[in-house]
Amino acid sequence: MALKGTQIIASEFRASGDRGFAAVNPVTGALLEPRFREACYDDIDRAAKAAANSFDQYRMLPMAQRAIFLEDIGSELTACAPELVARAHIETALPEARLEGELARAVNQLKLFALMVKQGSFVAARIDRAAPERRPAPKPDIRTILVPLGPVAVFGAGNFPLAFSVAGGDTASALAAGCPVVVKGHPAHPGTCELAGQAIVNAIRKNHIPPGIFSLLHAQGGDAGAALVAHTEIRAVAFTGSLSGGRALFDLGCSRSEPIPVFAEMGSVNPVFVLPKILADRGPSLAEGLVESITLGVGQFCTSPGLIVAIRSAALDQFLESLKSNLEERAPGVMLHEGIKKNFLDGLNALQEIDGVSRLDSSRTQLDGCEIVPALLRTDALTLLDTPEIAGELFGPAAIVVVCDSRDELLVVAESLAGQLTASVHGTKEDLQGFRKLFGILQRKAGRLIVNGFPTGVEVCPAMHHGGPYPATTDSRSTSVGTDAVHRFLRPVAYQDFPQELLPEPLRDLNPRKIWRMVDGDMSTDDL
């Protein structure tokens, strides 16, 4: 597929305006063809209105047709996999093997949502039948179902050009819910965005889906994204990126005359607590696994561990030496673009200027272009508690070790942390029993708790929760991974004393699809 460098509006390519930008190869610094047109307000307006105009038609399609459509997006992505992976590789410098795995993840999550839609129980049908004989007042017939919100603005992530971008989890879950999608592509990989967008368009045409349900906008600055969130036809927003970017969109969504939900996944330092006995038993192997997790993908994972907490001991000293030597053996990596590298180095320099923070590794000279070497720092609990910004996210291949003097001090450190996507604890059986209070603290702090494992790697499955208290996300009740992500884009509607023929199919007495429903307080797939 030849890249056009234009917007996709209502499933059609549309060129407007002369302003544009080009992707940059992070390895060579070369500009990549073609130039991509910058979306103007007219483009945004057309896309949002087309989404709104197609909403009712799309949400009323049979669930089986919606499911096939989702599966076919995956098939179209698979069909253009070589081209898609090659373009993503030159735009992001991510290894082709990693991108192939990420594409497989994107396809699999589309299949997972298709299976959920086919089964149908995600609409959470609840039926409380009438009791006209009840006294002192008769009980009405009340039936409730989840319905789609409307057009969703999706912001593609820079660090996952396939799984969290144009055809990623936010788009898949919104389409599964019955919502049209307007995607603001990430400007660091616009060619990848266009190819994925074309795959969605092909599936739309193949399945005779209303074309207005999908648009893709290219823009380098923040004005286009702000205009999209502010548009009156947009009913929800999904974002993956920085705390500053997510918070700005959240504030904008709340400040509208009709506020809308903004589901932003933002900053997380993903603390790892290494308890005393396992440190003495398995320190070197733990150090190796931690360094692998810290440097995976050049540290450009939202679940990369950035804070390691342990109690002072001789075993900790040996563990730190193992961490240091393992980290220094790691080859330099190429970050996604110069902006991310600059932010990483600025954050690293700011940490090193704090009294009580020291550099553990050899502080190798940073390289030209987008190449980077990992870093390891050390501080103590009192310094962290006095300077909470130490525990903020530093996006890249770096971590800071917090040395505590006691069990109680470790618990105070845990209590001081802000909201996280993940929190991990490494310990023997005896450790875990002795630090049970730690898990009570971490349950309030994180969306996913891990024992004797590392946080990088998010399994796409129904039970996965990828979210957490602020500032990890703007809504700790929601996830951006797993089938429960669909609930971000649904809302309940109750029908009271409706005739059968006017009820949505899942609420009628007959249940031909045998979906699970709560009927008078009990779960059932039976007809009534």
Side-chain angles (χ1 to χ4, degrees):
M1 293 183 286
L3 293 174
K4 301 180 185 297
T6 66
Q7 321 305 325
I8 300 177
I9 298 178
S11 302
E12 298 289 342
F13 284 93
R14 183 176 185 272
S16 64
D18 298 324
R19 294 176 57 214
F21 64 95
V24 178
N25 185 319
V27 177
T28 66
L31 296 178
L32 301 172
E33 292 292 337
R35 286 183 63 80
F36 286 81
R37 303 287 184 95
E38 187 91 12
C40 62
Y41 181 76
D42 184 56
D43 297 324
I44 296 164
D45 186 55
R46 285 172 180 262
K49 287 179 177 176
N53 290 336
S54 67
F55 174 46
D56 283 339
Q57 187 179 353
Y58 178 61
R59 71 186 181 92
M60 297 302 291
L61 291 176
M63 290 292 188
Q65 186 177 357
R66 194 189 300 177
I68 292 170
F69 167 51
L70 292 170
E71 290 173 341
D72 281 345
I73 295 175
S75 298
E76 293 291 339
L77 290 170
T78 301
C80 69
E83 190 176 359
L84 191 56
V85 167
R87 180 71 188 198
H89 173 63
I90 63 170
E91 287 187 326
T92 66
L94 294 172
E96 290 189 350
R98 143 78 192 270
L99 291 165
E100 288 167 356
E102 191 182 325
L103 179 59
R105 168 179 164 162
V107 172
N108 287 337
Q109 66 189 358
L110 283 159
K111 291 179 179 178
L112 193 64
F113 280 113
L115 185 63
M116 178 200 73
V117 170
K118 282 180 184 175
Q119 200 282 323
S121 296
F122 75 98
V123 298
R126 292 170 179 255
I127 299 173
D128 283 290
R129 288 176 287 186
E133 73 286 352
R134 192 184 69 175
R135 296 293 180 269
K139 177 185 175 184
D141 185 278
I142 300 177
R143 307 185 182 209
T144 301
I145 193 173
L146 298 179
V147 301
L149 286 176
V152 175
V154 170
F155 286 75
N159 57 335
F160 278 88
L162 301 174
F164 275 90
S165 191
V166 174
D170 291 336
T171 296
S173 55
L175 292 175
C179 296
V181 171
V182 180
V183 178
K184 160 66 168 61
H186 198 283
H189 53 258
T192 307
C193 290
E194 184 179 315
L195 291 172
Q198 185 59 56
I200 295 175
V201 170
N202 289 344
I204 286 172
R205 292 172 178 168
K206 179 180 177 181
N207 289 277
H208 307 290
I209 301 294
I213 67 131
F214 175 73
S215 293
L216 168 64
L217 303 172
H218 298 289
Q220 203 168 28
D223 291 347
L228 180 60
V229 175
H231 199 286
T232 55
E233 299 292 1
I234 296 299
R235 292 291 181 266
V237 177
F239 170 87
T240 299
S242 68
L243 174 58
S244 59
R247 182 57 195 253
L249 296 180
F250 177 80
D251 290 345
L252 182 58
C254 292
S255 67
R256 289 177 30 154
S257 58
E258 182 185 353
I260 58 172
V262 176
F263 300 100
E265 185 231 284
M266 304 176 294
S268 184
V269 74
N270 303 296
V272 177
F273 293 82
V274 185
L275 303 183
K277 292 189 179 300
I278 202 168
L279 198 59
D281 292 349
R282 295 182 48 214
S285 63
L286 279 177
E288 184 177 354
L290 257 175
V291 169
E292 179 67 30
S293 186
I294 292 165
T295 59
L296 186 66
V298 201
Q300 298 169 117
F301 281 72
C302 52
T303 52
S304 181
L307 198 72
I308 303 163
V309 186
I311 297 173
R312 193 184 307 275
S313 67
L316 176 60
D317 293 337
Q318 295 174 354
F319 173 71
L320 294 180
E321 281 300 316
S322 295
L323 273 179
K324 175 179 177 292
S325 60
N326 271 279
L327 196 81
E328 290 176 342
E329 290 172 1
R330 298 287 163 161
V334 180
M335 300 197 85
L336 293 163
H337 53 78
E338 288 184 354
I340 284 185
K341 177 178 176 178
K342 181 180 183 304
N343 290 339
F344 174 75
L345 292 180
D346 289 347
L348 188 59
N349 290 334
L351 281 173
Q352 292 177 101
E353 290 175 0
I354 297 173
D355 288 339
V357 175
S358 59
R359 187 81 176 259
L360 283 178
D361 64 293
S362 59
S363 304
R364 290 173 284 174
T365 302
Q366 296 295 346
L367 306 171
D368 294 332
C370 294
E371 275 199 307
I372 206 81
V373 295
L376 184 67
L377 301 101
R378 172 178 175 160
T379 192
D380 58 73
L382 292 179
T383 301
L384 175 71
L385 295 171
D386 288 341
T387 318
E389 57 266 31
I390 291 173
E393 182 184 42
L394 178 58
F395 193 72
I400 184 164
V401 179
V402 181
V403 179
C404 303
D405 285 328
S406 66
R407 174 184 178 276
D408 287 344
E409 196 169 64
L410 181 144
L411 295 177
V412 171
V413 166
E415 193 67 68
S416 74
L417 297 177
Q420 306 291 332
L421 292 171
T422 74
S424 306
V425 180
H426 288 264
T428 64
K429 185 175 181 180
E430 186 178 349
D431 278 327
L432 299 179
Q433 290 297 324
F435 282 79
R436 290 178 68 90
K437 188 175 180 181
L438 176 61
F439 292 98
I441 296 170
L442 296 181
Q443 186 187 50
R444 291 187 276 107
K445 299 290 182 177
R448 177 163 58 109
L449 305 182
I450 302 153
V451 170
N452 291 333
F454 300 102
T456 41
V458 181
E459 182 69 26
V460 181
C461 64
M464 176 53 66
H465 180 79
H466 188 61
Y470 185 86
T473 71
T474 52
D475 189 338
S476 62
R477 298 167 298 176
S478 67
T479 179
S480 59
V481 178
T483 51
D484 203 42
V486 75
H487 291 105
R488 295 175 296 172
F489 310 121
L490 297 168
R491 65 180 181 88
V493 174
Y495 297 81
Q496 184 167 326
D497 292 330
F498 262 59
Q500 288 287 307
E501 64 273 15
L502 292 183
L503 284 169
E505 181 184 317
L507 295 181
R508 296 174 186 172
D509 287 351
L510 296 180
N511 187 17
R513 297 173 61 205
K514 299 302 178 186
I515 69 170
W516 284 100
R517 310 186 294 183
M518 181 177 284
V519 180
D520 298 330
D522 294 320
M523 298 303 298
S524 171
T525 60
D526 295 340
D527 295 334
L528 304 184

